[in-house]
């Protein structure tokens, strides 16, 4: 029996799947996001970035981390779950750009969680309806994220979802539709956004 491959976009055809996914993950999206997802094995995760930001998308060592992150090499973006989030990241009081191409190895493969541009928008596009976490995004980026560390910067980590202050491990945040996520290692920004103006269709 031939295994059916997920088709490449288009966005309009994905609307039904996105609606179903949004309903299935309504708590994660509207309630600020739940925690308790996959635990990332940071101590054994290969190829983590050790330097200071800005951090590249680190696709060179991405394949070595996928299995431990619970992510897969896909030939095209999945269509069963199709949601987006926006991330604002601050380290030592400075804004850090989420680079384009996280989770994408050129034309070879794409993972369920990825970025297309440096806008901070995260794409979750999976061929199966399941949960994904913020830690999986940081893990494929190669940047450590725990309740006390972002990359090599350790101490106090603050984080918010949809403008609400959260506690615990940000890596275990379950990604929901249209979350505005803010993570700050060190002093937080003066203003914490509660939402993001996603482009039409996202």
């Amino acid at each position: 029996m031939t295994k059916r491959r997920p088709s490449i976009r288009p966005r309009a055809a994905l609307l039904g799947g996105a609606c179903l996914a949004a309903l299935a993950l309504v708590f994660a999206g509207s309630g600020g996001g739940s925690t308790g997802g996959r635990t990332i094995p940071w101590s054994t995760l290969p190829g983590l970035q050790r330097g200071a930001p800005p951090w590249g998308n680190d696709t060179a060592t991405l394949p070595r981390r996928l299995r431990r992150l619970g992510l897969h090499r896909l030939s095209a973006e999945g269509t069963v779950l199709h949601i987006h989030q926006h991330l604002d990241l601050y380290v030592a009081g400075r804004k850090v750009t989420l680079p384009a191409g996280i989770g994408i190895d050129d034309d070879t493969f794409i993972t369920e969680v990825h970025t297309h541009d440096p806008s901070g928008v995260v794409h979750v596009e999976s061929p199966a309806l399941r949960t994904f976490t913020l830690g999986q995004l940081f893990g494929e980026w190669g940047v450590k994220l725990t309740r006390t560390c972002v990359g090599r910067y350790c101490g106090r980590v603050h984080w918010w979802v949809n403008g609400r202050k959260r506690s615990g491990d940000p890596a275990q945040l379950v990604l929901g539709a249209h979350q505005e996520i803010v993570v700050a290692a060190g002093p937080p920004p003066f203003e914490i956004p509660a939402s993001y103006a996603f482009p039409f269709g996202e």
Side-chain angles (χ1 to χ4, degrees):
M1 183 174 183
T2 304
K3 198 170 185 180
R4 191 177 172 191
R5 294 280 188 183
S7 58
I8 301 174
R9 303 200 192 227
R11 293 185 184 276
L14 300 176
L15 186 58
C19 290
L20 288 174
L23 287 172
L25 297 171
V26 66
F27 176 76
S30 63
S34 60
T35 55
R38 167 182 291 271
T39 299
I40 305 300
W42 298 110
S43 62
T44 60
L45 207 61
L48 291 181
Q49 304 194 58
R50 307 291 183 185
W55 295 302
N57 58 29
D58 202 32
T59 56
T61 57
L62 172 62
R64 297 165 53 200
R65 295 192 294 273
L66 286 182
R67 183 179 58 82
R68 298 183 195 190
L69 293 170
L71 296 171
H72 304 91
R73 300 174 185 234
L74 306 176
S75 61
E77 294 156 318
T79 61
V80 174
L81 175 63
H82 184 196
I83 56 176
H84 302 89
Q85 305 77 36
H86 183 263
L87 174 67
D88 285 305
L89 177 63
Y90 296 85
V91 173
R94 295 186 177 182
K95 181 82 178 285
V96 175
T97 299
L98 189 68
I102 294 174
I104 302 174
D105 189 6
D106 296 324
D107 295 325
T108 307
F109 68 84
I110 189 168
T111 70
E112 296 95 330
V113 183
H114 54 270
T115 64
H116 288 290
D117 55 48
S119 66
V121 172
V122 179
H123 298 249
V124 178
E125 295 165 332
S126 169
L129 189 60
R130 47 176 286 220
T131 58
F132 296 91
T133 66
L134 187 61
Q136 288 174 298
L137 171 70
F138 274 76
E140 57 183 355
W141 188 11
V143 177
K144 183 179 180 180
L145 175 67
T146 69
R147 66 179 66 227
T148 57
C149 295
V150 176
R152 72 179 190 182
Y153 294 85
C154 296
R156 188 85 184 270
V157 173
H158 310 267
W159 59 292
W160 298 258
V161 181
N162 300 338
R164 299 179 185 176
K165 186 79 164 64
R166 304 298 301 274
S167 60
D169 186 355
Q172 294 206 357
L173 173 69
V174 174
L175 298 175
H178 286 183
Q179 290 166 324
E180 165 56 32
I181 304 165
V182 180
V183 176
F190 291 111
E191 293 186 18
I192 306 299
S195 63
Y196 177 77
F198 288 89
F200 179 75
E202 291 188 354

